[in-house]
């Protein structure tokens, strides 16, 4: 797995070279936050319209595939439901990450801009997110290239934990 980082800004998304943008939303959080909000802005509120009509809800397990062109450079936008924000414990975060990884592998994603569950609100700390993402991608033998949406302090913490996980995995082998 190859991991890089990107800011949660339109210019960064435009220059990412990603074929897939993967983000999520909580069922009890309106307006949207994080990467979903940035994508919705660029899409002139089209995701918000799906929310108002009840076609997009944010319930755990939901995956909403959307063609974002020509407003976003990626071929696909996938919005995942993360359930209620108050219910994002470690098990829920792992289920959400597992759903994301399986979907990205199924889509044949080559390079993905990815916001992990709860990171926009710091509901899942970067170290925990790094461990979960590493474990799930290893279990699924997923060869993914992701650009994680993280701020500078989150990037450092994530990168340190991700390197620790890689070293631990090599020792096991």
């Amino acid at each position: 797995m190859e991991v890089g980082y990107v800011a949660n800004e339109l210019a960064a998304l435009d220059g990412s070279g990603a074929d897939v943008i993967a983000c999520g939303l909580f069922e009890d959080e309106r307006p949207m936050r994080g990467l979903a909000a940035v994508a919705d802005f660029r899409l002139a509120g089209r995701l918000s319209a799906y929310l108002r009509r009840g076609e997009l809800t944010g319930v755990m397990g939901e995956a909403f595939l959307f063609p974002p062109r020509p407003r976003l450079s990626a071929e696909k936008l996938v919005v995942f439901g993360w359930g209620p924000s108050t219910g994002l414990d470690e098990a829920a975060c792992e289920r959400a990450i597992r759903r994301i990884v399986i979907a990205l592998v199924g889509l044949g994603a080559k390079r993905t801009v990815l916001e992990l569950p709860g990171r926009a609100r710091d509901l899942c700390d970067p170290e925990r997110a790094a461990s979960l993402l590493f474990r799930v991608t290893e279990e699924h033998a997923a060869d993914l290239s992701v650009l994680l949406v993280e701020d500078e302090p989150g990037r450092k913490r994530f990168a340190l934990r991700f390197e620790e996980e890689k070293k631990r995995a090599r020792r096991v082998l």
Side-chain angles (χ1 to χ4, degrees):
M1 171 175 220
E2 181 183 321
V3 176
Y5 303 93
V6 66
N8 191 21
E9 302 168 351
L10 290 173
L13 290 179
D14 291 341
S16 69
D19 58 324
V20 178
I21 296 173
C23 58
L25 58 104
F26 292 106
E27 64 182 285
D28 59 348
E29 183 176 77
R30 301 296 180 269
M32 291 178 270
R33 293 175 74 170
L35 185 55
V38 171
D40 187 48
F41 177 80
R42 175 56 68 81
L43 296 168
R46 291 174 66 193
L47 295 178
S48 292
Y50 285 111
L51 281 168
R52 283 190 300 278
R53 292 193 304 262
E55 296 173 44
L56 178 62
T57 63
V59 298
M60 178 60 83
E62 179 178 55
F64 187 85
L65 181 62
F66 184 83
R69 285 192 174 170
R71 294 184 178 263
L72 288 169
S73 59
E75 295 171 22
K76 299 171 184 103
L77 169 66
V78 188
V79 182
F80 294 92
W82 293 336
S85 60
T86 56
L88 191 69
D89 58 10
E90 185 171 334
C93 192
E94 183 173 353
R95 281 192 309 275
I97 290 172
R98 187 172 308 284
R99 177 78 169 110
I100 292 167
V101 168
I102 290 169
L104 293 176
V105 169
L107 288 171
K110 293 172 184 56
R111 184 173 176 88
T112 303
V113 170
L114 172 62
E115 181 180 60
L116 290 171
R119 289 298 306 132
R121 290 184 46 202
D122 207 25
L123 297 177
C124 179
D125 66 65
E127 293 87 359
R128 195 74 217 130
S131 294
L132 291 170
L133 181 61
F134 184 84
R135 185 171 70 225
V136 170
T137 54
E138 287 292 301
E139 287 173 9
H140 292 279
D143 186 25
L144 298 174
S145 174
V146 298
L147 294 170
L148 294 173
V149 174
E150 281 289 342
D151 60 15
E152 193 57 40
R155 291 175 187 189
K156 290 177 183 175
R157 292 170 59 194
F158 190 98
L160 284 171
R161 177 57 65 90
F162 204 78
E163 284 304 313
E164 288 173 11
E165 294 294 338
K166 287 197 307 193
K167 288 177 186 175
R168 187 173 301 134
R170 282 193 294 264
R171 283 193 302 261
V172 170
L173 295 176

